[in-house]
Amino acid sequence: MTQATKTWASPQHRHSVIWIVSLATLAIIFDGYDLVVYGTVLPALMADPAQLGEISAQQGGALGSYALIGVMVGALLTGAFGDRFGRRKMMLINIVWFSIGMGAAAFATSITMFGALRFFTGIGVGGLVATAGAVVAEFAPPGKRNLFNAIVYSGVPAGGVLASLLAILLRDVIGWRGLFLIGALPLVILLPLALLKLPESPAWLQARGRTDEARAVCAEYGFPLPSAAPVAPVEKIGFAALTTRRYALGTSLLGMMSFAGLLLTYGLNTWLPKIMADAGYNAKGSLAFLLVLNGGAIVGGLFASRIADGRGPQPVVATTFGLAALALVLLTFGFPLPVLLAAVAVAGVGTIGTQVLVYGFVSNYYETRARAAGVAWCAGFGRLGGIVGPIIGGLLIGAGLSNNVNFYIFAGIALAGAVVTFFVPPRPTAPNTEPEPAVAATVEA
C-alpha cells in the first residue's frame, strides 16, 4: 500500500480536506491581522491625540491587552460550548462576531469606545483560534496533522505580514481606520465560503452518537468513516474531561507553554515597532522589523512542523523556545542591521512560530470529547500571557528603562517555556473510545 493510499481515502477526500484547511487558515490570517494591525497604528495614535485622545505608553499597553482579554473570554466560551454544539456552528458564529468587531472599531471616537470594541473583537478571535485547532485535528489524516496545524496557525504570522505590508503601503493613504475596516472583510469573503464548504466533523458527530449524520457527511465529502465506537455516555466531555487524572497534569503544562508563547508573541508584535523607532529607525524601517519577525515565523514554523510530524512536537517546541531566547539576547548587542534582521527572523521562529507548534501539539493531545476544550483552555489561559506581554513592554518603556531590559525579560520567559515543555507527559490513550479516521479505507456512498 502506498503512502498516498494511507494518507488519502480518495481524491475527493484530499480535495475536501484542502478546502477545510484553507478556510481555517484564512480565518486565522485575520486573527494575525488583528494581532499586528494594532501595533502598526499605535505609534500614530500616540503621536496624534486628535484621533482617540492622549495615549501614554501605559495606556497603549493596556489597550493592546483589552483585545486579549476578549480573546481569553472567547476561547473559554468556545471551549465550554464547542464540544457540545459542534465545530461548524462555532466557526461560523465567530467569523461574524470578529468581522463586526473589527468594522465597528474603525469608527471609534474615544479611547474608552476603542478599548470596548477591541474587547468585543477579541471574543470572536478567541473563538476562531479555539475552533480551528479542533477542526484541523479531526479532518487532517494521521501523519499530516502537525503540518496542517502549522499551515493553519501560520495564518497568525501571515496576517502579521499582511498587516505590516498594508501599514507600510497604505497607512498614510487610508489611515488607521481604513486598516481596521480591512479586518472586517471575512464577513463578505470568508463567511460565504465557509457556509458552502465547511462540513461538520464526522468524528464529533460520531462522538455525540450521531452516527447516521457522520456517515452522510463522509459520503458527501469523501471522508473515511471514523473507525472506533462513539464515546460512552458516562465519559466526561469538554472542560470536565480536562480535570480528570488522564489530562490534568498535561493540561496545566500545556497552558504554561501557551502562556509563554503568547506573551512573547503579543509583547513583541505590540512594541517592536516602537522599540526600533526609539532606537533611531524611521516609521517604515521600524515596521520592517515587524515584517521580518512574522515572515521568519511563517517559514520557520512550517519547516519545524515537518520535523514535528516525524519526531513529535515536544522536542521541536523546546528547541524553538531556546532559539527565541538566544535571538532575543543577540538583539541587545548592537550588531549591524543585516545581523539584527536575521536575529529578529529567528526570534519570530522561536516566539510566533513556537506558538504555531504549540497549537498543533495541543490539538492532537486530546480526544474528540475534550479537544475543543483543550485547545480553548490553552488559547484562553495562554492569552493571559498575551495580556501581560504588551503591559510589560508599556511599563518598561514608560519607566524609561533601556530597550535591552525588554529583550532580556522576554528571553528569560522563552527559556522558561523550553523548560516547561520538557515535562509535558505523553499523550494519554483511551483504547476503543476515540473515533479516528480510518484513512486506509474508502467510503461507500
Side-chain angles (χ1 to χ4, degrees), residues 238-257:
F239 283 120
L242 305 187
T243 63
T244 60
R245 179 181 297 182
R246 183 183 300 162
Y247 287 123
L249 177 59
T251 296
S252 299
L253 295 177
L254 289 168
M256 293 179 193
M257 289 165 57

Side-chain angles (χ1 to χ4, degrees), residues 277-324:
D278 290 346
Y281 294 93
N282 61 27
K284 291 187 177 180
S286 61
L287 288 173
F289 281 94
L290 203 58
L291 186 64
V292 171
L293 180 79
N294 286 277
I298 295 172
V299 176
L302 291 174
F303 177 75
S305 72
R306 296 298 298 269
I307 300 174
D309 269 327
R311 300 185 179 181
Q314 192 165 359
V316 179
V317 171
T319 301
T320 54
F321 264 132
L323 286 174

Side-chain angles (χ1 to χ4, degrees), residues 89-110:
K89 287 180 183 177
M90 299 308 297
M91 181 71 82
L92 296 175
I93 289 170
N94 286 301
I95 289 170
V96 174
W97 192 297
F98 164 84
S99 301
I100 292 174
M102 283 293 285
F107 297 98
T109 56
S110 68

Side-chain angles (χ1 to χ4, degrees), residues 70-83 90 97 123 127 130 239 376:
V71 171
M72 179 178 67
V73 172
L76 295 176
L77 285 173
T78 297
F81 296 108
D83 286 317
M90 299 308 297
W97 192 297
I123 293 175
F239 283 120

Side-chain angles (χ1 to χ4, degrees), residues 321-332 340 342-348 350 407 411:
F321 264 132
L323 286 174
L326 176 62
L328 289 166
V329 170
L330 289 177
L331 289 175
T332 68
L340 286 178
V344 168
V346 174
F407 290 132

Side-chain angles (χ1 to χ4, degrees), residues 36-307:
V36 175
V37 75
Y38 174 70
T40 68
V41 304
L42 179 58
L45 292 176
M46 293 177 68
D48 184 5
Q51 296 299 317
L52 296 173
E54 192 76 37
I55 300 176
S56 66
Q58 291 89 340
Q59 285 177 314
L63 282 172
S65 295
Y66 292 157
L68 306 181
I69 297 172
V71 171
M72 179 178 67
V73 172
L76 295 176
L77 285 173
T78 297
F81 296 108
D83 286 317
R84 296 181 181 275
F85 298 119
R87 317 313 188 201
R88 186 176 189 271
K89 287 180 183 177
M90 299 308 297
M91 181 71 82
L92 296 175
I93 289 170
N94 286 301
I95 289 170
V96 174
W97 192 297
F98 164 84
S99 301
I100 292 174
M102 283 293 285
F107 297 98
T109 56
S110 68
I111 293 174
T112 300
M113 183 179 179
F114 182 74
L117 288 169
R118 292 295 291 151
F119 170 80
F120 178 89
T121 304
I123 293 175
V125 173
L128 286 176
V129 170
T131 306
V135 166
V136 175
E138 290 172 12
F139 284 108
K144 289 188 177 290
R145 288 177 180 167
N146 282 293
L147 174 61
F148 283 169
N149 267 285
I151 290 171
V152 169
Y153 284 111
S154 287
V156 174
V161 169
L162 179 64
S164 302
L165 284 173
L166 291 178
I168 291 171
L169 297 173
L170 299 178
R171 191 175 69 181
D172 295 339
V173 179
I174 63 175
W176 73 269
R177 296 182 189 277
L179 292 173
F180 270 74
L181 278 174
I182 290 172
L185 287 177
L187 193 62
V188 295
I189 295 175
L190 181 58
L191 181 63
L193 289 173
L195 285 168
L196 290 172
K197 296 290 187 178
L198 181 65
E200 185 53 86
S201 161
W204 179 83
L205 289 169
Q206 186 153 308
R208 301 294 291 168
R210 295 160 62 177
T211 304
D212 289 343
E213 293 176 62
R215 289 181 180 275
V217 171
C218 289
E220 181 178 356
Y221 289 89
F223 301 132
L225 187 68
S227 56
V231 176
V234 297
E235 291 278 5
K236 294 181 178 180
I237 66 171
F239 283 120
L242 305 187
T243 63
T244 60
R245 179 181 297 182
R246 183 183 300 162
Y247 287 123
L249 177 59
T251 296
S252 299
L253 295 177
L254 289 168
M256 293 179 193
M257 289 165 57
S258 187
F259 181 95
L262 285 168
L263 188 155
L264 296 168
T265 295
Y266 281 81
L268 288 173
N269 271 303
T270 298
W271 289 111
L272 189 60
K274 177 66 173 172
I275 290 171
M276 292 308 178
D278 290 346
Y281 294 93
N282 61 27
K284 291 187 177 180
S286 61
L287 288 173
F289 281 94
L290 203 58
L291 186 64
V292 171
L293 180 79
N294 286 277
I298 295 172
V299 176
L302 291 174
F303 177 75
S305 72
R306 296 298 298 269
I307 300 174

